[in-house]
Amino acid sequence: MHSISHFWNVSRGIYGPRNFKENKRAVVFFVRAISNRALFEELYTFFDQYPPMKGFLETHDPDFQEVMTRVFLFKNSTMRQRLDAVEHHFTILRQFFSDDVIKEIYWGKGYTLWQSQDAANPLKVRLIFDTGQRKEGFLSLYLYSREDMLYHFNFRFDYNKAGEPALYIGTLQGSKEGLELTKEITKKLFGYRPKNFILYLLRIFTQTLGIKDLYAITDAGFYTNSHILRGNRSKKTSLDVFWKEEGAEATPSEEFYWQMPITEKRRKYDDIPSRKRNLFRKRYLLMDDIIPDYIAHVKELFRDDFRPTPSAIDEAAITEKPADYDPIEAPKTQE
């Protein structure tokens, strides 16, 4: 068992004697850690016995231990719940991805899952671990334009109440300075907003892994709601409206999460105003070009023995299409 001095040194290593707030957090970390040493020892043992993460807390990212002592992930989460979330996430992760891939995600720079070859629309999608985003999850899917971040999801894998692997979205964040860039990219994606585009990619990611359930944090369940008095640190952006626009529904099995459809339904000819039909046609043809390459890159991360059945087949993933294929299914003949 680690000594009391170990936890004090960890607390000082994470926070440092920089100011009153950091000193206070160091003390809180220390008190909570020594009061829950058995749970910390469980965390250490889990990572020691998990080859891709062995030594991670000691040499690469000691700050990750803050997940144990602060109320992250969802409202009023306990240390036991957060430790379970860590163990479940990494257990599921190793069912999907090879050890080398996991090490590159958490020790290295992650992976580019898709990159536009269009110099006029230089988008890039990356799967990474960003330690600064650990409050809401343990993986992130980022959308960049050149090196400018547009949007990213923070999420984690966990078991749902049925005991099945599921994907839990902790937040969707956009660039504070990216409003004009977002408008520009929306035009280049034929009216497809970047936040809808990255949600679409996360859904395809979910489908490709064979995961059937996708959940998104509710505004009420956001972790900052754990404290009555938080001043200007409270959550300012509502996501519930966006989730509901995308088909989110309440589910009795999840107190703090909406259940999201894992598919995005394409609008068809009769559902689209005539003035917008060509715009939607171009958008869907663009997705038909992007998605097969994106799926191929996701599959490159899989363990050799992981061959999931996709939980859904998106229309864009179907590469063999008839010569007269039209993504919005225009009538063959019109008067």
Side-chain angles (χ1 to χ4, degrees):
M1 182 172 285
H2 291 75
S3 66
I4 291 177
S5 61
H6 161 81
F7 293 105
W8 178 248
N9 292 333
V10 169
S11 70
R12 277 306 181 189
I14 293 174
Y15 298 107
R18 292 183 286 270
N19 53 50
F20 174 78
K21 182 188 293 185
E22 296 295 277
N23 285 333
K24 178 182 177 182
R25 285 181 173 171
V27 172
V28 170
F29 178 97
F30 174 69
V31 171
R32 290 178 178 173
I34 62 173
S35 301
N36 296 274
R37 290 172 71 181
L39 294 182
F40 264 87
E41 294 299 336
E42 183 179 331
L43 173 70
Y44 295 154
T45 299
F46 178 82
F47 272 14
D48 282 344
Q49 296 175 354
Y50 190 97
M53 300 297 287
K54 186 175 178 62
F56 180 79
L57 299 177
E58 294 83 0
T59 64
H60 187 70
D61 190 6
D63 292 11
F64 188 84
Q65 296 171 78
E66 191 182 33
V67 170
M68 295 287 285
T69 60
R70 295 184 65 186
V71 183
F72 290 164
L73 301 181
F74 53 86
K75 179 180 178 180
N76 295 331
S77 64
T78 65
M79 190 182 296
R80 177 71 262 175
Q81 288 173 320
R82 296 191 297 276
L83 177 55
D84 285 345
V86 170
E87 293 178 350
H88 294 169
H89 171 80
F90 283 100
T91 298
I92 294 170
L93 198 69
R94 206 168 180 219
Q95 297 173 15
F96 299 153
F97 304 137
S98 70
D99 287 2
D100 288 343
V101 165
I102 295 171
K103 187 138 190 176
E104 176 59 27
I105 291 173
Y106 287 91
W107 298 71
K109 297 181 179 180
Y111 291 92
T112 296
L113 299 182
W114 174 77
Q115 187 165 359
S116 172
Q117 301 304 309
D118 182 359
N121 190 21
L123 297 178
K124 179 169 57 178
V125 178
R126 289 186 53 77
L127 181 69
I128 65 174
F129 169 69
D130 184 344
T131 189
Q133 307 299 332
R134 64 186 180 275
K135 296 177 181 179
E136 299 103 355
F138 310 133
L139 260 180
S140 297
L141 190 70
Y142 272 76
L143 176 63
Y144 297 94
S145 177
R146 292 189 173 89
E147 300 305 316
D148 296 317
M149 188 276 289
L150 291 173
Y151 282 96
H152 69 272
F153 279 106
N154 300 334
F155 64 93
R156 74 181 197 280
F157 297 114
D158 207 334
Y159 298 105
N160 62 17
K161 294 298 187 294
E164 297 295 328
L167 193 150
Y168 287 77
I169 299 170
T171 193
L172 168 64
Q173 296 180 355
S175 170
K176 295 178 181 178
E177 296 81 25
L179 182 58
E180 290 304 315
L181 181 58
T182 296
K183 291 180 179 178
E184 177 186 338
I185 299 301
T186 300
K187 291 180 181 178
K188 292 179 178 179
L189 292 175
F190 304 108
Y192 207 17
R193 295 181 300 178
K195 68 179 179 180
N196 291 86
F197 177 54
I198 192 172
L199 175 59
Y200 180 49
L201 294 179
L202 188 68
R203 282 169 156 159
I204 297 294
F205 181 74
T206 304
Q207 296 168 23
T208 306
L209 291 170
I211 292 176
K212 299 177 181 178
D213 293 300
L214 174 64
Y215 302 98
I217 195 75
T218 64
D219 287 338
F222 200 71
Y223 77 94
T224 55
N225 291 322
S226 301
H227 307 287
I228 297 175
L229 298 176
R230 291 190 62 91
N232 61 7
R233 292 180 293 164
S234 61
K235 184 173 180 288
K236 296 180 175 62
T237 302
S238 171
L239 285 172
D240 280 356
V241 173
F242 177 62
W243 300 142
K244 291 178 181 179
E245 287 175 352
E246 292 299 316
E249 295 181 347
T251 173
S253 64
E254 297 290 341
E255 182 180 2
F256 299 126
Y257 293 86
W258 300 105
Q259 182 149 27
M260 297 284 291
I262 63 169
T263 59
E264 178 177 299
K265 185 178 179 181
R266 283 193 172 186
R267 295 177 65 181
K268 295 300 180 179
Y269 188 86
D270 291 337
D271 300 325
I272 305 171
S274 58
R275 69 183 185 280
K276 292 187 176 182
R277 285 171 186 160
N278 195 45
L279 185 72
F280 275 85
R281 182 177 287 112
K282 290 178 179 179
R283 180 194 304 178
Y284 292 151
L285 288 173
L286 178 62
M287 295 305 111
D288 289 350
D289 182 60
I290 290 172
I291 295 306
D293 183 54
Y294 173 74
I295 291 174
H297 280 87
V298 172
K299 289 182 176 179
E300 288 176 358
L301 309 184
F302 287 178
R303 299 182 65 90
D304 291 340
D305 58 353
F306 181 58
R307 299 179 182 86
T309 299
S311 51
I313 302 295
D314 188 85
E315 187 171 327
I318 302 172
T319 55
E320 296 183 4
K321 293 171 179 171
D324 61 350
Y325 164 77
D326 188 311
I328 65 170
E329 297 180 355
K332 301 296 182 182
T333 60
Q334 300 181 47
E335 296 296 324

